[in-house]
Amino acid sequence: MGLERRNQDNPIIPKDSLWTKAKFGKDVIVANLDTGVWPESESFHDEGLGPIPSRWKGFCESGTNFSAANCNRKLIGARYFHIGHELENGQLFENGDLPTPRDMDGHGTHTLSTAAGNFAKNASLYGYAEGIAKGGAPHARVVAYKVCWAKGCYDSDILAAFDAGINEGVDVFSLSLGSDPPLSDYFQDSVAIGSYHAVRLGKVVVCSAGNAGPVAGSVTNVAPWIITVGASTIDRKIAAPVSLGNKKTYMGQSGSQFSLQEKKWYPLVSSVDVKASSANETAGRLCYLGALDPNKVKGKIVVCLRGITSRIEKGFVVRMAGGVGMILCNAPENGNDLNADPHFLPATLLNAIDGAAVFKYINKTKSPVAYIYPPKTVLNVKSNPVMADFSSIGPNTLTPDILKPDITAPGVNILAAWSGAASPSEDPADNRHVPFNIISGTSMSCPHVSGVAALLKAAYPHWSPAAIKSAIMTTASRVDNRKKAIKKSSNGTAGPFDYGAGHLNPNRAANPGLVYDASEQDYNSFLCSLGYNTTQLEIVTGRAFSCPQHREAIYNFNYPSISVSELKGPLFVRRTVTYVSKGPAVFEGIVRSFRGFDVALKPNKLTFSKMGEKKSFYVVLKPKEGLGESYAYGFWTWKSGHQKVTSPIVVKGAIK
């Protein structure tokens, strides 16, 4: 379910897909605010692209090992923003950074190529996930704004990059960055401020939701003018099974290039049983650096518990102690999240239940043994997507009556371009280099949506950012590839706080039928609803204005979802839709609510005669006995023929 093409010799795209309608995002300009770009990557070649759009006013900034010659008709801009960083930390080189747009980290190259990388043949990590890679909008032009450095991403640098992109002609901003809760008010949030100005001028802004899940209220980048993206799995895995001496086999994942030298049973030990005498039990169980005794580890497969230190570092610890392989086991809080990491030795990562079975086998067996099979790419894996355990979730702690995240997209084990200056593991001890890498995070899911936003911008250049967001949200899927409800990593059923409106469905987004639009005036009304004073409003909007005496309720902001944080009694929530298809149409209302409240649409039928026509309606919410102070959720849908426009609702009872 990722946007990359996998295991195919030619990029076969259906004729009626969003990609062909949008000509692969032709001439849309996508900017990535991140760690820079590796311009030599195959994902940034300019084959098949015409002249640079004349409206582009940007440039490629010279820096260490970087000049205008590194840019082309694909990579049309690259700059670095560092004044804020230097004011706080001193000059870049004093902190191990270089003044250059070049990506020394890998993260920026990965995210930019995911959003809009060109077709790249023979892409893989050590032969895994092999095929033709492409970004969401492969014929869009790309721009790299480097705002993140070794010591972080600073507000003034982020704002400077937004300002540059707005003036230079960027259409879509992709930001795989953010801060963890507690969240700052919008007038103290550089991403919220910069994105407000971009959106009011017709630019789309897409941000990652954060990697602090599954903690409730951990979602970040929550401004309503931003598209906020959670992360979910794809239908491909890099399978690395492990067999035990008791004839049990468990399916893990791994991106290791290494295999056990012989197909035989190897002694199996728990890391806590082979810890160094100087290490405490926690250090041994988690395979900290220096925590294992080489005399006890040599020649064995070691079982480590996931947590605290990086997964790849644990494998390095086992290898340096003389181990021949590692089984890494998820802790209960990691559930079923499995990452295909490029380990330093033969290794596999097991889910929490299977990991517990391995530990139990060791504890009950006198001479436990195991064998780790070499990894293998497996496609069309069922029961996907699943929400990633790390994906930050709602409720929105800053503005509870705006539902966040908005959408989920592929963010687990994503193959994309990588920096030639960074190792695949990003570990200081790793001297390997790869042209493509597989990593996970909402940083990876965000650019999937950025790419689709670019396609929609190309297909419908006059659509507003809000219309594009609405099309993406209201056409999303809430079922997996078995037509079952999308699950959490922990196996429970996911809901709007996990995935917003659902999982990204690009082709359906190309024909939404109806959109929930919003203008600069609507966003200003939203800010007024927060009770901001004149100074605070001016910080966000850049202009002085007064709010009306009557301030609209936040839940009436024309958003493609509804969140009511205190439902005291029957409530009429107003929404307005714009018809964006051709010819007349009638949309019938369908409601589906879960425990705790009833939903009705008034009216429950909308009739349109022409494109651009607007209709308003009310979503009527009535609490039922038992709603209480916990959230419940439901959905409403407008249906006309094959078009289904679906929005989530979350409500919580009044505090008693």
Side-chain angles (χ1 to χ4, degrees):
M1 290 190 178
L3 296 183
E4 57 201 281
R5 302 299 298 172
R6 302 161 304 170
N7 291 37
Q8 294 188 11
D9 296 326
N10 296 296
I12 301 170
I13 308 290
K15 290 183 179 180
D16 61 346
S17 72
L18 174 56
W19 284 275
T20 52
K21 289 180 181 178
K23 297 182 179 178
F24 301 105
K26 183 174 183 280
D27 291 345
V28 174
I29 299 172
V30 178
N32 194 41
L33 276 63
D34 210 307
T35 64
V37 63
W38 191 259
E40 293 83 4
S41 170
E42 181 67 15
S43 292
F44 304 124
H45 72 80
D46 61 4
E47 182 181 342
L49 300 181
I52 294 172
S54 59
R55 62 188 176 85
W56 172 242
K57 307 302 180 187
F59 61 98
C60 287
E61 184 175 9
S62 295
T64 303
N65 296 323
F66 199 97
S67 70
N70 289 113
C71 292
N72 56 19
R73 290 170 296 152
K74 177 65 176 178
L75 178 62
I76 62 173
R79 297 180 60 181
Y80 62 99
F81 300 85
H82 59 102
I83 293 176
H85 181 279
E86 289 194 340
L87 287 173
E88 184 75 21
N89 301 292
Q91 294 190 9
L92 291 174
F93 67 85
E94 295 175 351
N95 298 288
D97 285 312
L98 297 173
T100 178
R102 186 172 287 279
D103 179 16
M104 310 303 291
D105 172 274
H107 192 271
T109 300
H110 196 282
T111 53
L112 182 56
S113 65
T114 300
N118 212 335
F119 295 96
K121 297 179 180 179
N122 303 315
S124 74
L125 173 65
Y126 301 129
Y128 308 128
E130 185 175 9
I132 299 174
K134 71 171 183 67
H139 283 180
R141 313 306 172 113
V142 297
V143 179
Y145 290 143
K146 187 174 183 177
V147 299
C148 296
W149 306 88
K151 292 196 174 179
C153 319
Y154 283 78
D155 289 339
S156 58
D157 297 332
I158 292 170
L159 286 170
F162 266 117
D163 192 46
I166 291 169
N167 292 322
E168 292 173 356
V170 169
D171 298 306
V172 177
F173 289 87
S174 187
L175 286 82
S176 291
L177 53 84
S179 57
D180 291 331
L183 303 179
S184 299
D185 256 307
Y186 300 117
F187 59 82
Q188 297 174 319
D189 183 345
S190 62
V191 174
I193 295 169
S195 60
Y196 169 90
H197 290 279
V199 169
R200 77 176 180 85
L201 293 170
K203 324 292 184 180
V204 181
V205 181
V206 186
C207 296
S208 53
N211 298 328
V215 177
S218 55
V219 64
T220 189
N221 293 321
V222 297
W225 45 84
I226 290 171
I227 305 176
T228 308
V229 188
S232 36
T233 61
I234 58 176
D235 60 348
R236 179 192 65 215
K237 64 182 178 182
I238 315 300
V242 58
S243 290
L244 307 181
N246 61 1
K247 298 183 180 180
K248 298 283 188 180
T249 297
Y250 300 101
M251 186 61 67
Q253 291 202 54
S254 175
S256 176
Q257 69 188 104
F258 303 102
S259 301
L260 292 170
Q261 292 183 355
E262 299 178 61
K263 190 172 183 180
K264 66 174 188 179
W265 293 115
Y266 290 83
L268 180 67
V269 292
S270 171
S271 60
V272 75
D273 295 331
V274 293
K275 70 180 184 66
S277 58
S278 59
N280 61 34
E281 185 168 316
T282 298
R285 191 175 304 280
L286 295 173
C287 293
Y288 286 178
L289 285 169
L292 302 184
D293 185 343
N295 294 322
K296 299 177 181 177
V297 170
K298 187 176 181 180
K300 298 180 175 67
I301 294 175
V302 179
V303 185
C304 302
L305 185 67
R306 180 176 177 175
I308 310 298
T309 57
S310 81
R311 300 180 300 272
I312 292 175
E313 181 182 290
K314 297 177 191 294
F316 177 74
V317 170
V318 172
R319 178 175 173 175
M320 294 305 294
V324 297
M326 177 185 69
I327 300 173
L328 183 58
C329 300
N330 275 353
E333 59 267 25
N334 304 123
N336 296 314
D337 267 10
L338 298 179
N339 304 85
D341 296 315
H343 290 286
F344 288 107
L345 77 174
T348 191
L349 172 62
L350 300 181
N351 67 36
I353 293 175
D354 292 347
V358 172
F359 281 118
K360 183 177 180 180
Y361 164 70
I362 292 172
N363 293 334
K364 290 194 169 186
T365 306
K366 183 177 181 180
S367 300
V369 292
Y371 177 76
I372 301 170
Y373 289 87
K376 180 180 179 182
T377 304
V378 180
L379 304 179
N380 302 314
V381 179
K382 296 302 181 184
S383 301
N384 282 289
V386 172
M387 292 305 304
D389 186 71
F390 58 76
S391 186
S392 291
I393 64 174
N396 178 343
T397 57
L398 184 58
T399 317
D401 286 350
I402 296 292
L403 176 62
K404 290 287 180 170
D406 294 308
I407 193 81
T408 188
V412 179
N413 295 332
I414 303 302
L415 176 75
W418 198 244
S419 168
S423 71
S425 68
E426 302 177 74
D427 190 289
D430 192 353
N431 60 8
R432 297 173 294 174
H433 295 281
V434 294
F436 294 87
N437 199 10
I438 294 175
I439 57 176
S440 302
T442 56
S443 286
M444 285 63 256
S445 57
C446 165
H448 279 78
V449 176
S450 303
V452 171
L455 294 174
L456 291 171
K457 190 76 173 176
Y460 307 104
H462 301 298
W463 278 13
S464 69
I468 289 173
K469 172 195 275 190
S470 178
I472 288 171
M473 289 177 62
T474 61
T475 58
S477 174
R478 287 157 298 283
V479 296
D480 62 21
N481 54 9
R482 297 187 309 153
K483 304 300 181 184
K484 303 290 186 181
I486 292 175
K487 298 287 188 181
K488 300 180 181 182
S489 177
S490 60
N491 287 325
T493 300
F497 282 151
D498 304 294
Y499 54 53
H503 188 83
L504 179 67
N505 191 328
N507 286 331
R508 285 193 61 206
N511 186 22
L514 304 173
V515 297
Y516 296 85
D517 211 347
S519 65
E520 179 182 357
Q521 183 177 347
D522 293 313
Y523 296 125
N524 291 346
S525 177
F526 164 80
L527 293 171
C528 287
S529 298
L530 299 175
Y532 283 1
N533 61 37
T534 303
T535 300
Q536 294 165 336
L537 290 169
E538 189 171 358
I539 291 172
V540 178
T541 67
R543 63 193 71 185
F545 68 91
S546 298
C547 293
Q549 188 171 1
H550 170 72
R551 298 187 176 187
E552 188 68 74
I554 293 174
Y555 54 71
N556 277 330
F557 177 71
N558 201 41
Y559 212 65
S561 60
I562 289 176
S563 178
V564 179
S565 57
E566 193 173 356
L567 185 62
K568 299 177 180 179
L571 184 67
F572 285 67
V573 181
R574 188 180 64 253
R575 287 293 184 267
T576 300
V577 288
T578 304
Y579 182 53
V580 293
S581 293
K582 295 179 181 179
V586 176
F587 284 81
E588 301 278 352
I590 303 169
V591 296
R592 181 180 177 218
S593 61
F594 288 75
R595 61 162 187 85
F597 67 104
D598 290 322
V599 184
L601 298 174
K602 292 188 179 296
N604 63 0
K605 180 184 293 186
L606 301 177
T607 302
F608 299 91
S609 59
K610 60 182 179 179
M611 182 184 294
E613 192 174 354
K614 295 179 182 291
K615 297 281 186 178
S616 294
F617 63 94
Y618 288 95
V619 181
V620 184
L621 307 175
K622 294 182 179 180
K624 294 192 296 189
E625 188 71 27
L627 176 57
E629 296 176 21
S630 60
Y631 278 97
Y633 66 90
F635 301 91
W636 87 90
T637 299
W638 292 110
K639 184 179 185 301
S640 177
H642 65 278
Q643 292 178 322
K644 292 181 180 180
V645 188
T646 301
S647 296
I649 309 166
V650 295
V651 300
K652 187 173 71 170
I655 298 173
K656 297 179 181 178

